[in-house]
Amino acid sequence: AQIESFLKRMADGPGAIVISGESGSGKTALLATVADLASASGVAVLSARPAASERDHAYAALADLFRSVFPGLAAELPQPLADALGTALLLRPAGTEIEPRKTGMATTALLEALVSQRPLLLAIDDAGWLDADSERALAFAVRRLPAAVTIAAGLRDAEGSNAPLGLARAVRPDRLLRIAASPLSSADTHHLVRRAAPEVAASRAAALR
């Protein structure tokens, strides 16, 4: 309910949803729910799921987010920015120097082009594992987020309580939703199994017939 209410207010300005929790707490499932609810309401959704093994791969997460949409929007970016971002995403031949400032400006320009079509959600799970180059470019863009852009980030408890990418400073307090995911208790799990048992039994009986 909190997530649905928050997403309905995307027009109020840039926003952020930060879901924290340990492995197995349901953090990733909640983030997927955010993406599904946003998509069902007509919001464009781009996602990335960084991994610890890819933290040394330059712009890996940025490529996950934007590689599919960049070719169709490259012409709307100033040529130096399109060249820089295209090179970073490995969509253009190497040769253009990838300057962090240019890549950050290009990321901002691409978000502006995307949100001019419809509201946009960026879903980033395990944001603490972002590679340094992607994190730098996204943090640059976060400080300049256009309206109707929401960033939903999953964060492991061990990574601290601060919102990633400087989101806590970049959006208004009322546009930052924090959710602490936690595993089901033993009592909740027992209740869930008891509720599901009759349905499972009925399904097996029908199959036997």
Side-chain angles (χ1 to χ4, degrees), residues 32-52:
T33 297
V34 175
D36 289 343
L37 288 171
S39 182
S41 63
V43 174
V45 177
L46 300 176
S47 60
R49 190 173 182 183

Side-chain angles (χ1 to χ4, degrees), residues 71-152:
L73 294 170
E76 299 187 28
L77 275 60
Q79 194 62 49
L81 300 186
D83 289 341
L85 188 55
T87 303
L89 301 182
L90 301 181
L91 293 174
R92 296 196 175 180
T96 300
E97 184 179 356
I98 305 176
E99 299 175 13
R101 181 166 173 266
K102 275 187 180 179
T103 310
M105 292 176 65
T107 301
T108 306
L110 185 62
L111 291 177
E112 291 171 347
L114 284 163
V115 84
S116 69
Q117 300 175 349
R118 55 178 171 153
L120 173 67
L121 174 81
L122 300 184
I124 306 172
D125 198 8
D126 286 324
W129 285 342
L130 282 166
D131 62 272
D133 295 294
S134 295
E135 184 174 17
R136 188 182 300 112
L138 289 168
F140 183 97
V142 158
R143 292 191 293 274
R144 300 158 179 82
L145 275 183
V149 174
T150 293
I151 295 182

Side-chain angles (χ1 to χ4, degrees), residues 18-54:
V18 178
I19 303 173
S20 59
E22 291 297 339
S23 179
S25 65
K27 169 181 60 67
T28 297
L30 277 174
L31 194 64
T33 297
V34 175
D36 289 343
L37 288 171
S39 182
S41 63
V43 174
V45 177
L46 300 176
S47 60
R49 190 173 182 183
S53 60
E54 297 175 358

